[in-house]
Amino acid sequence: MCALQQRRDGTSGAGKTSRVDGSEGKREQWHRPRQGKSVCRGRRRMSRLSYSAVIATRNRPEALALSLPLILGQSRAPAQMIVVDSSPDTEANRAIITSAEAAFGRTVTYIISPPSSSVQRNIGLAEVTEPVVLFPDDDSLLHPGVMEEIMATYERDEGGLIGGVCAAEADTAPEGALASARYEMTLGDRIRKPVAATRFRLERALVPEPFLRAGRRLARNHPRPDWIDGERHVEVEFMTGFRMSFRTELIRRHGFDETLGRYALFEDTDASFKILKSHLLVGARRAQIYHYKAPAKRDGGFSMGAMQILNRAYVLAQDAERDAAMRRQLRRFSRYKIAQYGAAATSGAQFAKDRLRGARAAMNHVDVLMGCPSDAVSGTYLAARRALGLDP
């Protein structure tokens, strides 16, 4: 709780950061941020930017043990590495961080916090000292050269038109990265990963995700750099949490929406849309991150089903144009998700049956959310969460 109080009181020092231990109140002085250096590319002189990396983690030391060394071992390593931990037992993560510090000769800022990915990311964001911030998940495995590509994209954007850059999702893990893995992805995740791209293409053609429409609308009037050609760089409608980065000054204006609750499904999409209102989002296609999903449960079946429907409606109600076309697309996509869950529930698995029940219950709140006044969206969403029995 100490770190949360610090974030909300705004008491962290400017120009430096510290190691923070929320349970013991210890602070060690660390470093001042690195200043940008100029590098020549052809006839241009570009500023070489530095970045911070913030990982929010909870009860997944086996994932952190794989991901942290791959970030610190980048050819372009973070100037500042922050881990925000909400695990009840922090001993394993402390040991992993100590080992990584020794292996790479780096200091990792370690913060204990209350649980919630949005809260944890906001706590880490308050400590960031660098002009760009990367927010990998604790099970994001970075291929070599990822940060060279992402940071080169920011540096090429001399007009400041780009607010966020994401990596591409890799099909395979970095070479040798899983040799010491102490977990495997679930069978379901292993089956879904190879067919995800095909399913996405079919959905986009037949039952398009309304987030895509919302993102395109938000970005439609922004000026575009002429070097975004669809080959090395591509515009994106929103960014997925395990591979996203932002300009620090921009994401700090909005932060991550803590209203979304503990699991905070679609916090990444909401943050993306907030940035898209003023800046472009770009994918760096040569930057590859593999999502080696940890098998720990994210939440119960009812909650996961309800949040898929309710949180999508909430993010759209906050950030999108709520015209008749958007509402129709949202209803259609929500019914499609419920049909998916219905098919899965025929297996008889309790999680699948609970997920279907949660999604159906949340449908009763979609039209109310999409139709309420803009200044009532948050309150209407929270009332719906209470009615559904979701966590505060």
Side-chain angles (χ1 to χ4, degrees):
M1 296 298 291
C2 184
L4 180 63
Q5 187 65 45
Q6 177 194 26
R7 177 179 64 86
R8 289 180 174 164
D9 287 350
T11 56
S12 58
K16 61 188 178 183
T17 187
S18 308
R19 190 176 176 107
V20 180
D21 185 324
S23 61
E24 299 173 6
K26 293 180 180 177
R27 302 179 63 87
E28 297 172 4
Q29 216 67 345
W30 190 32
H31 64 66
R32 293 184 180 275
R34 298 177 183 176
Q35 301 300 315
K37 297 179 181 178
S38 292
V39 295
C40 290
R41 291 188 184 168
R43 296 182 180 179
R44 288 184 176 180
R45 179 168 291 273
M46 296 183 176
S47 177
R48 188 169 173 86
L49 299 172
S50 54
Y51 72 97
S52 300
V54 176
I55 296 180
T57 188
R58 177 176 172 81
N59 294 337
R60 302 203 297 202
E62 66 283 352
L64 187 65
L66 297 178
S67 62
L68 184 58
L70 291 173
I71 298 171
L72 293 176
Q74 287 286 302
S75 57
R76 193 158 176 180
Q80 181 190 30
M81 183 73 233
I82 301 171
V83 175
V84 186
D85 185 8
S86 66
S87 307
D89 183 353
T90 61
E91 183 177 352
N93 282 340
R94 288 173 185 270
I96 289 163
I97 289 169
T98 298
S99 175
E101 287 177 322
F104 293 94
R106 301 290 307 280
T107 300
V108 175
T109 302
Y110 178 66
I111 306 171
I112 295 175
S113 83
S116 165
S117 57
S118 290
V119 169
Q120 289 174 246
R121 281 175 165 162
N122 284 336
I123 288 172
L125 180 57
E127 297 290 323
V128 165
T129 58
E130 308 306 316
V132 172
V133 54
L134 173 73
F135 286 100
D137 285 351
D138 57 6
D139 52 7
S140 297
L141 305 186
L142 275 65
H143 278 256
V146 166
M147 295 313 300
E148 290 282 4
E149 287 290 329
I150 287 178
M151 296 307 294
T153 305
Y154 284 112
E155 289 161 356
R156 192 170 182 181
D157 176 35
E158 295 178 318
L161 303 176
I162 295 170
V165 180
C166 66
E169 181 170 5
D171 295 327
T172 58
E175 185 176 356
L178 302 183
S180 60
R182 303 203 317 268
Y183 72 94
E184 289 186 347
M185 291 196 298
T186 64
L187 177 60
D189 284 334
R190 294 200 302 273
I191 292 171
R192 282 188 289 271
K193 187 171 270 293
V195 302
T198 301
R199 191 185 78 176
F200 178 75
R201 284 194 297 270
L202 287 172
E203 286 180 352
R204 193 162 189 154
L206 301 174
V207 194
E209 161 69 78
F211 284 157
L212 296 172
R213 183 190 191 99
R216 284 194 297 270
R217 284 182 167 188
L218 288 168
R220 63 190 167 192
N221 294 322
H222 296 337
R224 287 156 173 76
D226 57 11
W227 47 266
I228 298 179
D229 57 6
E231 293 295 325
R232 185 169 179 175
H233 299 97
V234 62
E235 287 183 48
V236 296
E237 294 89 350
F238 58 91
M239 300 192 294
T240 305
F242 74 92
R243 50 193 173 98
M244 65 183 177
S245 71
F246 299 95
R247 291 193 187 274
T248 303
E249 64 174 317
L250 297 179
I251 190 60
R252 271 209 175 118
R253 294 177 191 172
H254 310 288
F256 294 92
D257 191 347
E258 297 179 13
T259 308
L260 285 163
R262 183 159 159 172
Y263 181 57
L265 185 66
F266 303 138
E267 63 168 344
D268 46 4
T269 309
D270 177 70
S272 295
F273 287 168
K274 296 294 195 297
I275 300 301
L276 263 182
K277 291 177 180 179
S278 59
H279 290 72
L280 291 174
L281 300 176
V282 170
R285 302 185 74 173
R286 295 183 187 177
Q288 299 274 312
I289 296 180
Y290 184 72
H291 197 193
Y292 190 55
K293 289 186 178 180
K297 277 189 178 181
R298 272 67 175 174
D299 215 323
F302 183 90
S303 294
M304 290 302 293
M307 287 189 294
Q308 270 285 342
I309 304 301
L310 185 68
N311 286 19
R312 181 177 282 102
Y314 169 64
V315 170
L316 291 171
Q318 280 210 121
D319 301 319
E321 296 177 22
R322 291 184 278 167
D323 57 13
M326 178 62 76
R327 295 185 194 195
R328 281 195 303 272
Q329 189 168 344
L330 173 60
R331 283 194 294 269
R332 187 181 180 205
F333 190 80
S334 298
R335 287 194 294 267
Y336 163 69
K337 296 302 291 185
I338 289 172
Q340 273 189 323
Y341 297 157
T346 60
S347 68
Q350 191 60 50
F351 179 91
K353 292 191 291 185
D354 289 345
R355 183 175 59 181
L356 174 61
R357 189 166 53 86
R360 284 173 169 167
M363 273 298 289
N364 297 324
H365 300 274
V366 168
D367 286 340
V368 176
L369 260 175
M370 292 297 285
C372 72
S374 296
D375 59 1
V377 170
S378 290
T380 303
Y381 170 74
L382 289 172
R385 290 186 68 91
R386 289 191 295 270
L388 292 166
L390 303 180
D391 65 80

